[in-house]
Amino acid sequence: MEHQICSGFACRLPLHGILQWSPFRIDALGIITMIGSEQVESAVGRLVNSRYAEYLPLLGAFAIASDQFADARSGYALYNVTDGIITTDLAGWFVRWCSAQNFAKSDSMVTWSVDTRPWSLERYWRDRLTATLIGIVTNGFLVALTVLQGDWWGMANAMSMVVSVLVRAHALKQNRAGLDLAASKGSHASNGTGSKFLVVLADSRMISMYAPSGLVQACFVQKPQPQDPRRYHTVRMIGWASFAVQAVSLGMSGLVTQIITVSLMVSATVLMHFRVGCNDTIIGTGLTAKLEAQGHGRRQDIYVSLQLNEHEEESMLQWSLMPHKTPASASIRWWREYAEKKKKNQDEFRYRQREMEKAESVSVSVDSWPSV
């Protein structure tokens, strides 16, 4: 029997001997299906490009096929201070993006804008090219290794991994395109007006944000819509099929193939989870975020920095974000401190504005001097 096996085509392949090496066993199937799915859907769901892991196979491929990475999450709230609107129904990508940032308890501000300048697109495509080269080399290596071993189950596993990468790439492309379109429409609909709003995360962290008014509903509340829903659904079904093929073939593969498969998927998942090579200030191709630390220690300081008017303060009271005005000493003390800080903040803002106007007037007068 051994002679008959070795007389076949597979036995004459240069790395066939590796296929016979099996000093121990591992539960590779359990590793790729039971571990890391939550981290994958959180990392991928941010819709941020990864310079290194964009086209590498990840653990928990069913999180992409089932569209879990785009689902909404509970426990988050957005308070649109400018318009006096509160909602807990936020876009899945937005809450995942917020949760992934290292925001302090009450010390962070984010300014959103839509940027389609050529330099930002150039960086986007440069990162995509890098990711494509890494993906081709890495996935091609695993496919070639299984072929040279004559490990046909391993080759089926490797090809299913390639398909899962292509499925994820298409799903992300569709969601990012939907977000880009929503950002473009929201930016044009803003007509130069802006909104200030507060986002409270599931762990009670509060972030103050500013954005063109049209972006709040279009990008942060509504889920990005795939441009071709039928194709999107079909590709997801292909993703389920590739996951089933890997579930069957991986356990039948050679030990070396199993070890490399697990190592590759775990490494890529770690890179994605820890955002290595990711620029979280650019989502899709145009939506950009500017993150700043304000040096605030209390939520009261956030409210002061927002420069709330009377109507906005009334909304904050209705939402119970500010203490109610009662005769209690704690309430009186809080509102007195708030009024003092707000006046000081207004005075500092006026002073900075006057200094900027002076600097601009000096610049204009210097420019108007005749050249000698």
Side-chain angles (χ1 to χ4, degrees):
M1 177 66 69
E2 183 69 22
H3 177 72
Q4 291 177 354
I5 295 176
C6 289
S7 65
F9 170 75
C11 187
R12 294 194 294 269
L13 293 172
L15 299 181
H16 182 69
I18 298 178
L19 184 60
Q20 310 304 321
W21 182 75
S22 183
F24 56 88
R25 289 179 174 272
I26 62 172
D27 185 13
L29 180 59
I31 294 174
I32 68 166
T33 56
M34 302 296 293
I35 300 175
S37 60
E38 182 179 350
Q39 288 72 21
V40 167
E41 64 100 354
S42 295
V44 173
R46 294 172 11 252
L47 302 185
V48 175
N49 291 282
S50 174
R51 182 181 300 175
Y52 306 122
E54 185 77 11
Y55 300 119
L56 294 179
L58 303 176
L59 297 171
F62 61 86
I64 309 300
S66 63
D67 212 31
Q68 287 182 17
F69 75 98
D71 289 343
R73 286 182 173 179
S74 60
Y76 300 80
L78 185 150
Y79 300 87
N80 190 333
V81 180
T82 302
D83 297 331
I85 300 173
I86 175 178
T87 180
T88 57
D89 184 16
L90 303 182
W93 80 265
F94 181 59
V95 297
R96 288 173 175 81
W97 183 90
C98 290
S99 298
Q101 311 310 308
N102 298 319
F103 290 134
K105 191 76 172 178
S106 303
D107 187 37
S108 302
M109 182 181 75
V110 181
T111 303
W112 294 93
S113 61
V114 179
D115 187 2
T116 57
R117 289 179 293 177
W119 68 266
S120 60
L121 292 176
E122 179 183 351
R123 177 175 180 177
Y124 168 80
W125 287 111
R126 185 171 62 246
D127 289 351
R128 294 296 292 271
L129 178 60
T130 302
T132 301
L133 292 175
I134 293 174
I136 291 174
V137 171
T138 305
N139 291 291
F141 166 77
L142 182 57
V143 172
L145 179 65
T146 57
V147 171
L148 293 176
Q149 291 181 77
D151 184 2
W152 310 126
W153 285 108
M155 187 179 72
N157 165 71
M159 294 305 298
S160 69
M161 292 167 63
V162 172
V163 173
S164 72
V165 170
L166 297 177
V167 168
R168 187 177 78 244
H170 179 79
L172 286 175
K173 180 181 178 181
Q174 288 279 313
N175 279 273
R176 288 167 179 161
L179 182 61
D180 287 342
L181 181 61
S184 178
K185 290 182 177 179
S187 180
H188 286 94
S190 300
N191 294 322
T193 61
S195 294
K196 48 188 173 184
F197 54 101
L198 299 169
V199 176
V200 179
L201 307 186
D203 58 4
S204 298
R205 286 181 293 171
M206 176 179 282
I207 306 101
S208 59
M209 297 189 179
Y210 296 85
S213 57
L215 294 187
V216 179
Q217 176 72 17
C219 296
F220 308 136
V221 176
Q222 294 181 349
K223 177 182 177 179
Q225 297 300 315
Q227 301 302 295
D228 191 341
R230 180 175 297 181
R231 180 183 296 178
Y232 186 73
H233 179 76
T234 301
V235 171
R236 284 176 48 212
M237 294 304 101
I238 295 174
W240 276 115
S242 69
F243 178 72
V245 170
Q246 185 174 30
V248 172
S249 61
L250 182 59
M252 303 292 290
S253 303
L255 180 61
V256 172
T257 301
Q258 294 186 36
I259 292 175
I260 293 177
T261 296
V262 171
S263 300
L264 175 58
M265 298 181 78
V266 169
S267 300
T269 302
V270 169
L271 290 175
M272 185 70 79
H273 175 67
F274 288 102
R275 300 181 291 159
V276 178
C278 296
N279 181 4
D280 276 45
T281 62
I282 301 177
I283 301 91
T285 59
L287 189 61
T288 62
K290 180 182 178 183
L291 283 66
E292 299 179 57
Q294 298 295 292
H296 299 154
R298 303 167 57 188
R299 286 192 174 184
Q300 183 187 76
D301 298 321
I302 295 181
Y303 306 153
V304 170
S305 66
L306 290 175
Q307 286 295 301
L308 305 172
N309 59 37
E310 182 179 348
H311 297 292
E312 292 167 346
E313 288 179 355
E314 181 64 26
S315 295
M316 300 286 281
L317 282 168
Q318 294 292 330
W319 296 331
S320 297
L321 293 178
M322 283 181 162
H324 293 282
K325 296 180 179 180
T326 66
S329 59
S331 176
I332 295 173
R333 182 170 61 254
W334 191 96
W335 280 101
R336 183 174 63 249
E337 291 177 358
Y338 171 74
E340 293 172 353
K341 290 180 180 180
K342 184 177 180 180
K343 183 178 185 305
K344 181 180 178 181
N345 186 276
Q346 290 174 336
D347 293 340
E348 291 177 352
F349 176 77
R350 294 192 187 100
Y351 174 77
R352 288 196 301 268
Q353 194 172 29
R354 287 195 299 268
E355 291 298 314
M356 290 177 61
E357 291 174 352
K358 289 180 181 179
E360 289 176 358
S361 63
V362 170
S363 176
V364 170
S365 62
V366 169
D367 293 340
S368 64
W369 288 348
S371 58
V372 180

